[in-house]
Every structure is written in structure tokens, then in C-alpha cells.
Amino acid sequence: MAKKIGVYVCECGNNIADNVDIDRIIKTISPMRNIEVIEKHRLLCSEDGKEFLKQSISDHELTHLVVAACSPKQHEHTFMSVCVAAELNPYLFEMANIREQCAWVTPDKEEATDKAIRQIAAAIARVAYNEALEKKDIDVYPDVLVIGGGISGIRATQVLASPDRRVYLVEKSSSLGGKVKSFDKLFTKMESGSALIENELRSVEGNENVEVFTDSEVTQILGFFGNFEIKVVKKATDEERNFNVGAVVLATGFDVIDLKELPQYGYGKLEDVYTSLEFEEMNIPGGPTGGKILLKSGKPPGSVAIIHCVGREEKGYCSKVCCMYSLKFARMLKDKLPEAKVSQLYSDLCIPGKAYQKFYEETKGSGVEFIRADKTNVAQNGKGITLKYESETGSKGDLSVDMVILVPAMEPGNDTSRFAEMLGIAVDNEGFLAQEHQKLAPVASSVEGIFVVGCAQAPKNISESIVQSEAAAGKILSTLVPDRKLELEVKTSKISETFCTGCKTCISVCPYSAISFDDFRKISVVNEALCHGCGVCAAACPSGAASVRNFAFTQIYQEVEALLK
Amino acid sequence: MGDEFTPRIVGFLCNWCSYAGADLAGATKLNIPSSLSVIKVMCSGRVDPSLIFTAYLRGADGVLLAGCHPGDCHYREGNYYARRRFALLEKTMETLGLEPGRLMLAWVSASEGQRFGDVTNLFTEQIRQMGPNPLKSALL
Amino acid sequence: MKNNGNSTSVLVIGAGIAGIESSLLLANSGAKVYLVEKASYFGGNIIKWEEVFPNMECATCMIAPKQQELLQNENIELLTLSQVEDVQGSVGDFTAKVKKKARYVNLEACIGCNECFEPCPVEVDNEFEERLSKRKAIYIPCAGALPNAPVIDSANCLRFKGEDCQLCQEACMFEAIDYTQQDEEFELKVGAIVVATGFKPFDLTQTPQYGYKKLNNVYSIVEVERICASNGPTEGQIIMQNGETPKSVAIIHCVGREEKGYCSSVCCMASIKQAHFLKNKISGVKIAQLYSDLCIPGRIYQRFYEEVKESGVDFIRATVSEVTQQGAGVAIKYKTENSEENTLNVDMLILAPAIEPGVGSARLAEILGIPQDEHGFFSEKDPDLDSVDTSREGIFIAGCAQSPKDVPDTVAEAEATVGKILSLSR
């Protein structure tokens, strides 16, 4: 079919008209191949400019459109809408930037005109080779898999579950509630963690839109955003359940650093050196000591030291919540044992936000001792324990206590690496899963549709974990709308079956893992649901099989040739 | 050489950073030599060596490859590939009789209008000093 | 919130990164969003920074795609120069009265060519540039500000003060300047409201002992952000009031912390970022940071701190006792942990202030009928369980309006409000 390209040059008031010779542009461009019409207009983006354009496209039965005006970043979408209104495929349209990158920066009018002519000629040459792309969409499952039944997983489930969206909540242990269930008190309100969990579970257990799996593991996650194939196995019976979901929320929580690797703290060697988790357990009303704080001997301690930042140096990061819960411990101690001497050894006090400093000041005010110490050594001393500590200025000190509570660094839960591998998500030096964007996408992982929340994402407190769960829910609710298809990127990569040699170079460079290898046909295949259209594969492909729709070699070549004529 | 030589430079600018930086240079009405003609690509990582060589073979005196600063790539890593290709290209160009100085790689962010102006001016002057593309007379 | 049985509609107050993120997610779900912003531009505080920690990513580049998406999204109505005056009703059925100040520039006609500035005879301090440069009475705050259209500052414009000046209108080729524009008031019917009004820095004149606005070459970190900005008053050149580039810099953390009574979460990192930037920008510069406790929580901040420390920046745990002028620079007297007294002489002193709730928070709290805490931050319904909800159902809070926090936490809260709103509207 013959090409009929319409070219419209915008005067942009006098912004372009004053700085380039539009008449000369028209005169020079008119004779070019396939030009059906070339006209100028005062202001194409105005209402009557757009109407004029729409009418002209119809009148001249144009097959392609070129608009020479401002930057496409300003009005490409405006004119694409005009194309749609005029029933011209909006991808058979190109803009030539003759304002920001020409009229506004080239003082000499002749030079500016020459440059404008080159850029317009390039757009014309290119558009003739554009493909008439169509928007694509795919069916999606609105349902969600939540892995991990702690506070994060529970809240995510609550916010997501609805009659048109099923949530599958998988927990590896025999009950829901995670770590928070065994915290007797939570900062700053000093209320019960188990009561909190009980309350939260009310809207999950018995919720007909939620299916809970306990004593179970997720053994398979295949597919992509909108279409994941899940396999869950019940550990005791090896019973398998298969189902499809649109998104996955990883809420696998945290573990603490192995204290046996830090012998200077005496953990596992000295009696009465406890980790924070052990101390939490001790305080549970129904626990082994009936909620009383007791030494191994059965007596209550007369003096307790809480050592912050245990393992921080080894891990290389600050676990954020420990200063606050150490203050909580001090309060619990003072509450149950008012006569006990409580000392806290810390290096930097991390108490960010509007409420925490007050909590610290009140704790300090209740008689708790704060000692800045960089290195601490814990050793047996007769029936008790002696701490030898050193501050960063070099001054040394020692402290004799009955009980030591070690506040250890937090790590991602030990399932995290298994899921990272299963999902193809990179893990950083500290073991945390790679994010889509460090600042702007905190709960989205590098794989679209997989969200990482709570302490699995990074150490954080309950409030922040809950916010992240709700955030993941927000992202999912916004994009996986029941009965609505997911719109895909149009200018995606495609790989020619004929030319693909199966070298897999494209697979190795794709930042989105959007290309997979078809073992049967021995070629690489692009998943258009994941492709962002960056073109790195096309540039890397040695055989030219990979190419980006409307950014193919042919199209760009036309621009190069026209610019250099 | 001489004053009549006006360099013809083709610039491959990435959509997200450098093209926006060039637009900003425009909005602030800087003076940019008209010797630079711009081709917009989605990512500097899209620009494969054959496109760059094509530019030289069609007579470009210089080629500018501009992308987001390392770490800022809209597509995460595309600009790292651009950087690697550039390093390889510099080595290969000499075998074709082209001075490596005819290819420039620049990181320009969306807020660096002035920098875009500086880079263009610098490169244009550099090419002016070097003279026309030596392949031009041989091929065209 | 099904509004009148139709689709969800939401009012988002504040178009910084939190407001932008909520708006985009809500709009993409099909909801109608009214994004109300009191300034003439949108992007809040984040567009004032050149780079953000810890990857030193260009802030404007990072935000630009989101801003473009927002401007092009048909479900989002961005109302700049607007403020909420009244809110009645309840969740699912709020009526909000919004007052929109006249821009005196027609947004549809204006193409952002900036031709109208030059002829304007009035010059005043540019608030966006922290008064480090001037602007005209018709202006955009900085190059690249969006929407790309100027506003007339009627308080300083000669015409609005009674004189017959129309130089800007004469310079405009698109008849976009309209002196007859009036302030508008309209009613919005929405199902939910998100408050994302951000923060403002602590007023450093309240701690005169550090010399701000009293001694030469003492700066607030927010002023330094603009000095570093490539689209700022010095185009990114690090020059002080005396025209010189500093050879030595000190940054004091936690200014105002004692007065405010809380830790502002981000200033340690912002200070470290500033040190990193300056170290790379000024060859051979000596930088020292004076702090009491280093707040660098999370998985990547400590690594950044260690890299900056390794690059030669001095970190000194100290309490500052006195700052005095010493020639062109300042002398900082401080006491370390072991009570040693020392003096540090530098060319440039940068103060990192505490952060407070944004301007107008008290008034907004009253209009919305939601409580504030003793520091003026909007109070959450429950600090543990419902930190983006308020006591009034249907009204949510996100970002620094709720409590000082960094960008990732702000974005998470903005996304959380969307989770809450969309799950309620089932």
C-alpha cells in the first residue's frame, strides 16, 4: 500500500517561527518521498490545532504522521491521542524536536533551519518503517500467595482478601503468629504481643476468602506477574496443592545471628547469658518460669546488663529495632524487679521518629544506667558475670552483673535464600533480597509481582512491617483488578525464530529476566509481560535476531542516514 | 581542515536522562552547536556497535553516546552495557582507520542542561580540531 | 470508597513523593484522584535535592518519570495553588471545599517558553532557592519545575499593587496571561482523604548559638542542597556568599533536636550524603561531621557511612559549645565524649536541622478533625497497628506529615494508604 506521510510544522507561536525559516523547511521537505502533505500551524497542541490535525489526517487519508514541534516528552502522548481519534495507528507517528533541541538553542537562523530540516527528514525516513503496533493485554489471576504467617503475612492477608480475591497463606510451623506471638510486651505501649496476634487473627481464621496452610512449604513458584503457578506441600503427609495466583508476598520474617560465632559474649558457655528472644520467652505468663525473670538457679537477678549491637560489626548494618526493644526490656525488668540494677551498653542510640526519644528519656529517668561501650567481653566471675568493656575513646571499664541479655543483629529468615533462588531474585552481601528500586519501590522485589515485606525485606519494627504489608497490598490491589486485564508494554523486544542461534547472550543481559530459553526449539523467547523494552538484548544479539518493536535497527538506521545526508 | 569544516555529529541520547537533559538545555536557552543531530533511544544500552559504525560509514565526523549516570539507569543496568561497548569500540575503531576521539560517551542526567551544553561544545570543538571523518573521502 | 454508587474517588493533600505515589496507584486502580497542592509546582521537597542517599541517584531524574505519568494520567486532577478549606461528611461520602488561588496564567494556553519573565521589572528573593537568588514577580521556581507554567506573585506584582504594568502580557505570544483570573472555590465529593503534607526544616534562627544568619558562611543543609543543585542558584558550583569555594567544611548534626525532643531520622544520612557530595565535588576539601549519636539504621546505610568515613571525612562525636566568626570562616568549640575540649576552624559550616510537620498542619488538622501529637505531627490511629490511619475513618496520613522518615518509608506509607483505601472500597 502506498505510504502517505503528513508532515506538520508547529510555529509554537513565535518560539519556533522566529528562530527557524519554516517556509524553507516546507520547501525543502515537500519533494521528499511519500510526502502527501506538509503544512504549518500556529499551535498544534491547542484545541483547534489538534482538531486541525485530526481533520487533516482524515482528509488526506494519511498512513503516517510526522509532527515537527516541541520535545516528544511534552506532547507525544497528545498527538498519539489525535491519531487514535483520527483512526490512525498511533505508532505510525513520529515527532521531530525542533524547539527545545533546535529553535531554542541555535542562535543562527540558517543553521537552525538546516538542523530542523535534518531532524524532520530523519523522522520522516524513520516513520515509514514503523510498525503499526497494537496494545496488548493478558488475563490475570487476582488471587495472592502470602508466604509466612507472622504479623506481616497476617496483615497482608487481611487487607487483600475479599470475595473476588482469594488469599493463600502458607506457614511452615504449626501455628500462625510468628515471633510477635511470644513477645509479652511491645514498645511503646507496653501491651501484649500475643493479644495483638490473637486480635489480628480474628479476621483471618474463619475468613472464607482465605485458605491457611500450616506445617506447609511452598515448593514451586513458576510463571510471571499475573500468572504464577504455585505448589504447596504439607510436610507431614507430602500432600500437594496446586493453584494459580497473580502475585506473591514474601513475609518470611527474621532470624538472629548465631551467637555461638561470637564467643566473646559467652553465649552457650556461661549460664545466665540470654539472647533477646530467650528473654522474651522467659517473660511469657504461661512460659517455663511463669513469666518471672529468674536466673538458672531459680533466684531473680539483682543486676542485669543489656548489651546492644551484638554482631553488628560482623553483619555490617544496624538492625534498627534493637535499641528500642532494649529500652523495653529495661522497663520490663524495672517493672518486675524494681530493686534490680539495670545497665545498657550501647555504641550509638538509634531512636528515630517522633515518639521514641520520649520513651528513652522516660526509661533513663527510671534509673536505668546507659554506658557507651564499643567492645564488650563477657566472662564468668565466681557465681556471677563480669563485663569488661571499652569505649571508642579508649577508656575501659568493668561491670559485675547476675544476668546478661544479648541483643543480636537480625538477619532475613533462613528460608529467604531458598526463595531467592526459586524466584531468581539477587541477594545482596547481607543476604537481603534485591529491590525493584531502593527509594521508590521498597516492597517490590526485582521480579515483578513478587513483593518482600517485613523483616524479610530488612530489619524493622512491627509498625513498619505492617505498613509494608499494606503497601504490598496497595500495589497488588491497584494493578491486579478482578476482571480487568493487565496492559503490557507495547514496544517490547521480539526474537526472530529464524535468526536465533540459541547463544543465550540476550538472556544473560536482560535486567528483567524477561527472556527464557525454549529447550525444545533451542531458541530464546521473550516474555512480553516482563519485557520493558530497553533494547539491551537487541544490542547484544550477535545474529540480529533480537529486536525492539519500533526501535529496530532498520528504523534507527533510517534516522542515521537521513541525518547525515 | 580550516574554518569551513562544520562537524556532523550524531548523538544517541537515552529517553529518560540525557534526552531530558538536552531538553532542559533548550528550556534554559543555552547555545548548543547545531552540528549535533539527535537520535532518541529508550536506553543507551540499545546502541549496538553496528549502529555506531553505520554512523561513521555514512559520514558522521563524531558520535556521541549519552545515557544516565551509572546507578541511575531507568532500566537498571543498560548504561553499564553501553560503557562496556564503548570501551571495546574505542579499541576497535583504530583498526578501521578512525581515531578513538571521534566517539564520546557522556553521562547526562535530566537536570544537567548545562552539562549537556558543555559536553556538546567540548565534543564539537574536539572534532573540529580532528577534522573530517577520514573514511568520508574513501567511501562517498 | 464507592462514591454515590460510582467509582472510588480520593482527595490527596500534598503533591510530594507520598502524594504522587498514592495518586498514581489509586488512579491506576481506576479511582479518580484530586491531588491538591498549595505551591505553584509539585514534587515537594525531593525535587530540591541534587542527589539522594545512599546511591547518590539524581533526585529529579528519579522523580521525573512519575511526574510525567501523573501529568498524563486522566484519572488524576492536579490542583496547584490550592488548599483544602473545609471537610464535612464521613468515609465514603466526604465533601471537601477547596480554594484555588489564581495563577493569572492560563495553563492550557501557556507553553512554558519563559518569555514573560525578562520584561518584569520586579525582583524579589526566590523562596524555592532558599533566598540565594532572585526571581521576578512572574516566575517558575526553578528550571524544570512542573507544571511548566509561571505564576504571578500578586503580593509583589506592580499591577496588583495598583500600577498599570502589563509587560509580561505583552511579551506573551499565546495570550496565556490573564490578569482577570479569580481565585476559585469548589466542592469535591470523595470517599477517602490522604494527608501527605510533608515536612519543613526547623527554624535555625531559634538556635542562634550556631551562628545561622548571624555569622558569615554558616548555612542550613537545605540551602546547601540548592547550592549543589545543577539547576540551582549557582548551577551546582559550590560557592559561598563571599564567592569562594570552601577548602574546609564542618557539618553539625541534630540542630534543634533538643528543642524538638525527637530524632529526625534522616539528618545523619543527609549529612553523610552532603559530605560525600562535597568530597567528590571539591578536590582536597577537608570535611568534619560533629554528631552525638549516629542514626544509620537498615540494610545499606552503614555501608555508605563507612565508605564516606574511609574517603577521609572526619566523624567526631561531640557536643558543640560555641561557634564564633574567625576571619571569613568560623571557629567551632566542642567537647568530646571524654570531656576533651577542641576547636575546629572551617571555611564553611553546615547545620543539619531537625524536621517538623509542613506549614499549615495545625490548620489542616482542625479542618480535617484529626488530632496532632505534641510535636504537631498528625496522630495515627494506633502507632503499632494502624500507623497510616487516623482516628477519623476514611482519612489517612503518609510520610513526614506523620513522623520524620526517609523516602523508602514514605513511599511504603503512601502505598499502604492505597492498600487501606482500595480494600475498604470492596
Side-chain angles (χ1 to χ4, degrees):
Chain A
M1 198 186 77
K3 297 195 174 90
K4 292 182 177 187
I5 304 177
V7 182
Y8 299 88
V9 184
C10 188
E11 291 178 355
C12 200
N14 69 340
N15 277 280
I16 295 177
D18 271 4
N19 299 303
V20 301
D21 183 349
I22 295 187
D23 292 327
R24 177 153 81 84
I25 291 176
I26 294 178
K27 199 159 160 228
T28 317
I29 302 270
S30 291
M32 286 188 185
R33 264 181 72 196
N34 298 320
I35 305 289
E36 178 72 10
V37 58
I38 173 163
E39 284 181 39
K40 65 183 179 186
H41 187 278
R42 195 180 158 272
L43 194 65
L44 283 168
C45 59
S46 64
E47 282 315 304
D48 66 50
K50 291 190 282 185
E51 189 51 45
F52 157 79
L53 206 51
K54 174 167 166 260
Q55 197 59 53
S56 199
I57 293 172
S58 302
D59 290 346
H60 293 279
E61 291 174 346
L62 299 179
T63 57
H64 299 75
L65 176 69
V66 170
V67 172
C70 52
S71 170
K73 281 180 166 298
Q74 294 292 318
H75 283 300
E76 187 174 59
H77 74 283
T78 310
F79 298 125
M80 281 176 81
S81 303
V82 172
C83 287
V84 170
E87 291 179 4
L88 172 63
N89 184 299
Y91 296 97
L92 296 175
F93 152 66
E94 287 292 329
M95 276 188 82
N97 184 336
I98 63 168
R99 189 183 76 171
E100 280 87 337
Q101 294 185 14
C102 188
W104 276 355
V105 294
T106 317
D108 182 294
K109 195 165 180 177
E110 288 307 301
E111 276 181 36
T113 310
D114 290 337
K115 179 167 178 180
I117 291 172
R118 283 198 295 272
Q119 299 279 171
I120 298 171
I124 292 168
R126 188 205 213 280
V127 81
Y129 285 81
N130 277 13
E131 276 178 67
L133 303 176
E134 295 295 339
K135 278 200 196 288
K136 286 169 288 194
D137 51 34
I138 51 168
D139 283 314
V140 295
Y141 290 92
D143 305 330
V144 183
L145 167 67
V146 177
I147 308 178
I151 184 63
S152 295
I154 294 170
R155 180 56 71 102
T157 303
Q158 283 173 359
V159 182
L160 285 163
S162 75
D164 49 17
R165 188 188 311 273
R166 201 162 178 71
V167 177
Y168 302 91
L169 176 59
V170 178
E171 166 56 41
K172 70 180 181 209
S173 77
S174 55
S175 58
L176 299 176
K179 302 271 191 315
V180 177
K181 193 173 59 199
S182 40
F183 296 167
D184 182 46
K185 297 257 181 288
L186 306 171
F187 64 81
T188 55
K189 292 191 310 190
M190 303 306 279
E191 284 174 1
S192 156
S194 58
L196 183 153
I197 290 290
E198 217 180 282
N199 210 23
E200 290 291 304
L201 284 176
R202 267 192 255 274
S203 46
V204 168
E205 284 165 345
N207 185 329
E208 58 187 23
N209 303 313
V210 178
E211 196 171 332
V212 179
F213 301 80
T214 48
D215 284 309
S216 301
E217 275 186 356
V218 175
T219 55
Q220 173 196 285
I221 304 176
L222 291 177
F224 52 91
F225 182 44
N227 289 276
F228 288 109
E229 288 163 25
I230 310 294
K231 200 189 298 261
V232 176
V233 173
K234 194 149 181 105
K235 289 192 282 192
T237 59
D238 273 346
E239 236 178 273
E240 253 181 39
R241 267 292 303 276
N242 291 293
F243 51 86
N244 288 348
V245 296
V248 178
V249 180
L250 208 57
T252 43
F254 72 92
D255 279 315
V256 296
I257 194 176
D258 184 1
L259 285 160
K260 300 217 185 65
E261 295 183 4
L262 304 163
Q264 67 270 37
Y265 294 104
Y267 180 73
K269 293 188 302 192
L270 276 58
E271 292 199 328
D272 298 315
V273 172
Y274 302 90
T275 70
S276 51
L277 293 177
E278 288 168 344
F279 184 70
E280 291 278 11
E281 260 174 52
M282 195 192 287
N283 279 276
I284 298 175
T289 63
K292 296 207 189 79
I293 300 171
L294 301 170
L295 300 165
K296 292 270 181 1
S297 64
K299 292 202 186 59
S303 53
V304 183
I306 305 172
I307 306 178
H308 295 215
C309 301
V310 172
R312 176 172 175 178
E313 207 183 302
E314 287 73 10
K315 290 308 245 178
Y317 57 82
C318 158
S319 295
K320 199 170 190 186
V321 299
C322 351
C323 279
M324 278 307 290
Y325 77 67
S326 302
L327 294 172
K328 174 186 86 172
F329 283 171
R331 289 194 180 205
M332 286 160 72
L333 284 160
K334 277 295 193 192
D335 192 49
K336 289 184 173 165
L337 307 167
E339 300 304 306
K341 180 166 184 290
V342 179
S343 313
Q344 303 207 210
L345 285 87
Y346 73 102
S347 49
D348 279 281
L349 213 55
C350 181
I351 48 172
K354 63 186 183 182
Y356 293 168
Q357 185 165 313
K358 191 169 173 197
F359 191 77
Y360 157 68
E361 282 163 0
E362 286 169 357
T363 309
K364 192 169 183 188
S366 69
V368 174
E369 187 187 20
F370 284 84
I371 303 169
R372 212 188 278 277
D374 227 32
K375 293 191 217 312
T376 308
N377 220 285
V378 181
Q380 195 78 51
N381 189 357
K383 285 235 160 73
I385 300 171
T386 297
L387 303 173
K388 284 203 191 321
Y389 59 85
E390 202 181 303
S391 79
E392 61 187 10
T393 58
S395 61
K396 296 188 182 37
D398 52 72
L399 189 66
S400 291
V401 292
D402 299 327
M403 175 192 258
V404 171
I405 304 171
L406 299 174
V407 181
M410 285 159 72
E411 315 174 319
N414 55 26
D415 284 294
T416 314
S417 48
R418 177 170 82 88
F419 284 110
E421 219 182 289
M422 198 193 293
L423 297 163
I425 303 177
V427 159
D428 67 11
N429 286 340
E430 289 80 16
F432 296 104
L433 296 163
Q435 295 163 280
E436 184 194 308
H437 189 284
Q438 227 175 46
K439 307 285 278 188
L440 299 182
V443 301
S445 77
S446 57
V447 174
E448 201 171 358
I450 310 284
F451 298 90
V452 186
V453 301
C455 290
Q457 191 262 3
K460 57 179 64 72
N461 63 36
I462 291 168
S463 169
E464 291 158 349
S465 297
I466 287 179
V467 166
Q468 284 204 338
S469 302
E470 295 172 340
K475 300 264 295 201
I476 295 169
L477 292 170
S478 164
T479 44
L480 293 179
V481 180
D483 299 328
R484 190 179 81 178
K485 292 183 194 251
L486 197 64
E487 216 178 271
L488 304 178
E489 168 64 57
V490 179
K491 297 181 199 160
T492 49
S493 169
K494 63 179 176 193
I495 297 175
S496 153
E497 187 167 346
T498 318
F499 292 115
C500 177
T501 62
C503 70
K504 300 189 193 175
T505 305
C506 54
I507 295 176
S508 66
V509 300
C510 178
Y512 300 98
S513 309
I515 309 179
S516 58
F517 195 68
D518 180 334
D519 278 306
F520 184 65
R521 290 184 295 163
K522 297 275 186 272
I523 55 165
S524 293
V525 180
V526 176
N527 182 336
E528 293 179 7
L530 296 175
C531 176
H532 281 63
C534 66
V536 174
C537 55
C541 178
S543 64
S547 109
V548 181
R549 293 183 168 90
N550 277 359
F551 275 95
F553 180 88
T554 321
Q555 287 133 9
I556 304 176
Y557 170 78
Q558 291 298 322
E559 283 186 78
V560 172
E561 194 188 36
L563 288 175
L564 292 167
K565 263 214 184 71
Chain B
M1 254 136 283
D3 309 284
E4 313 89 43
F5 168 52
T6 310
R8 294 283 213 105
I9 301 175
V10 172
F12 292 95
L13 270 49
C14 81
N15 179 61
W16 302 97
C17 284
S18 44
Y19 194 91
D23 277 349
L24 191 68
T28 42
K29 314 280 176 35
L30 300 176
N31 277 359
I32 311 272
S34 63
S35 51
L36 174 73
S37 298
V38 171
I39 295 177
K40 177 160 74 85
V41 288
M42 292 314 283
C43 180
S44 54
R46 170 69 192 87
V47 185
D48 67 82
S50 60
L51 278 169
I52 297 178
F53 282 123
T54 303
Y56 290 122
L57 292 171
R58 300 310 298 179
D61 300 305
V63 174
L64 171 68
L65 181 52
C68 306
H69 286 265
D72 292 359
C73 179
H74 184 81
Y75 302 101
R76 299 183 188 161
E77 316 160 348
N79 55 358
Y80 291 127
Y81 292 112
R83 183 165 62 183
R84 282 184 228 172
R85 286 190 194 115
F86 168 77
L88 224 73
L89 276 165
E90 276 201 304
K91 290 203 156 80
T92 329
M93 279 165 77
E94 284 185 80
T95 65
L96 295 171
L98 284 167
E99 308 93 306
R102 292 193 184 274
L103 179 65
M104 179 179 270
L105 176 70
W107 308 128
V108 178
S109 80
S111 62
E112 289 179 316
Q114 182 63 55
R115 179 166 157 71
F116 180 76
D118 293 342
V119 163
T120 314
N121 276 299
L122 183 80
F123 193 43
T124 305
E125 193 43 45
Q126 192 170 300
I127 300 293
R128 206 192 303 275
Q129 297 287 332
M130 294 173 80
N133 176 345
L135 302 178
K136 258 205 285 236
S137 45
L139 292 164
L140 301 168
Chain C
M1 297 332 27
K2 296 278 185 273
N3 186 42
N4 302 329
N6 295 331
S7 59
T8 311
S9 62
V10 184
L11 167 63
V12 177
I13 309 175
I17 184 60
I20 292 171
E21 183 70 9
S22 299
S23 300
L24 285 171
L25 281 183
L26 286 165
N28 287 337
S29 79
K32 166 90 190 168
V33 179
Y34 298 99
L35 179 54
V36 168
E37 167 56 51
K38 67 172 184 247
S40 60
Y41 63 93
F42 79 110
N45 281 300
I46 202 168
I47 57 160
K48 298 180 77 166
W49 310 329
E50 177 73 356
E51 289 178 354
V52 287
F53 58 77
N55 278 355
M56 306 306 281
E57 194 173 339
C58 159
T60 41
C61 308
M62 196 175 74
I63 298 298
K66 294 222 179 235
Q67 286 182 297
Q68 281 300 334
E69 210 192 312
L70 193 141
L71 288 171
Q72 292 169 15
N73 192 313
E74 283 163 7
N75 285 349
I76 303 176
E77 205 172 315
L78 173 64
L79 300 161
T80 49
L81 294 163
S82 301
Q83 289 196 66
V84 175
E85 299 286 309
D86 184 63
V87 168
Q88 302 292 336
S90 58
V91 61
D93 193 16
F94 288 111
T95 303
K97 271 210 187 78
V98 173
K99 181 156 176 200
K100 185 174 206 287
K101 293 230 300 266
R103 185 181 281 261
Y104 306 110
V105 173
N106 184 331
L107 278 177
E108 262 94 57
C110 174
I111 61 138
C113 67
N114 303 353
E115 290 292 308
C116 49
F117 309 163
E118 216 222 314
C120 178
V122 177
E123 241 191 30
V124 292
D125 282 337
N126 187 335
E127 305 89 342
F128 183 91
E129 302 292 10
E130 302 297 325
R131 297 172 196 279
L132 295 170
S133 64
K134 302 272 186 216
R135 61 160 173 84
K136 300 294 182 80
I138 182 166
Y139 71 103
I140 52 164
C142 73
L146 293 169
N148 185 15
V151 60
I152 295 183
D153 166 16
S154 55
N156 284 298
C157 165
L158 294 180
R159 187 180 182 84
F160 285 93
K161 293 205 287 198
E163 285 182 43
D164 184 29
C165 173
Q166 42 189 38
L167 292 168
C168 54
Q169 197 177 61
E170 285 163 6
C172 177
M173 281 297 124
F174 297 92
E175 283 141 27
I177 297 178
D178 179 6
Y179 302 125
T180 66
Q181 254 185 31
Q182 298 292 322
D183 292 350
E184 285 171 68
E185 248 189 52
F186 33 81
E187 261 184 22
L188 299 173
K189 292 233 182 273
V190 295
I193 302 175
V194 177
V195 183
T197 44
F199 72 90
K200 69 176 190 292
F202 169 75
D203 177 7
L204 287 165
T205 59
Q206 287 184 38
T207 46
Q209 64 270 34
Y210 295 102
Y212 184 69
K213 295 260 186 273
K214 282 176 44 201
L215 306 177
N216 289 333
N217 298 328
V218 175
Y219 292 86
S220 159
I221 212 171
V222 294
E223 289 168 331
V224 177
E225 288 280 7
R226 290 318 297 157
I227 294 172
C228 294
S230 47
N231 65 350
T234 59
E235 282 170 0
Q237 312 266 52
I238 318 295
I239 33 185
M240 304 182 289
Q241 293 152 339
N242 58 8
E244 308 224 326
T245 299
K247 296 195 203 57
S248 54
V249 179
I251 308 177
I252 300 180
H253 297 211
C254 305
V255 180
R257 177 170 177 177
E258 215 183 288
E259 287 74 10
K260 300 305 293 184
Y262 56 80
C263 161
S264 294
S265 296
V266 296
C267 357
C268 279
M269 280 306 289
S271 302
I272 297 172
K273 170 189 86 170
Q274 214 54 250
H276 182 275
F277 188 89
L278 294 171
K279 199 100 174 109
N280 282 353
K281 200 81 183 209
I282 310 170
S283 133
V285 69
K286 288 176 83 53
I287 307 183
Q289 307 206 201
L290 295 122
Y291 70 99
S292 55
D293 280 276
L294 216 52
C295 181
I296 47 173
R299 57 196 260 189
I300 19 172
Y301 292 168
Q302 183 166 315
R303 205 193 305 157
F304 183 64
Y305 154 70
E306 281 163 2
E307 278 168 17
V308 173
K309 191 169 179 191
E310 205 110 317
S311 74
V313 171
D314 263 317
F315 282 85
I316 307 169
R317 200 190 293 276
T319 324
V320 172
S321 46
E322 199 187 13
V323 179
T324 49
Q325 196 84 61
Q326 193 84 306
V330 293
I332 305 163
K333 230 193 244 166
Y334 64 90
K335 221 188 210 175
T336 60
E337 281 280 287
N338 48 10
S339 299
E340 231 181 74
E341 267 205 23
N342 273 318
T343 305
L344 183 66
N345 287 300
V346 290
D347 296 334
M348 180 188 213
L349 172 59
I350 305 174
L351 304 172
I355 62 184
E356 314 176 324
V359 176
S361 296
R363 183 168 171 270
L364 191 59
E366 218 186 290
I367 290 170
L368 294 170
I370 57 176
Q372 293 173 286
D373 72 356
E374 71 260 40
H375 308 294
F377 292 103
F378 295 104
S379 296
E380 55 274 52
K381 182 167 164 206
D382 183 302
D384 291 321
L385 295 169
D386 297 302
S387 51
V388 300
D389 302 65
T390 62
S391 55
R392 192 166 174 190
E393 205 190 346
I395 302 188
F396 302 89
I397 46 180
C400 291
Q402 189 253 31
S403 176
K405 57 179 66 74
D406 63 10
V407 171
D409 287 348
T410 296
V411 172
E413 283 190 350
E415 296 174 347
T417 63
V418 176
K420 290 298 246 309
I421 292 171
L422 294 180
S423 76
L424 282 175
S425 58
R426 280 183 294 238

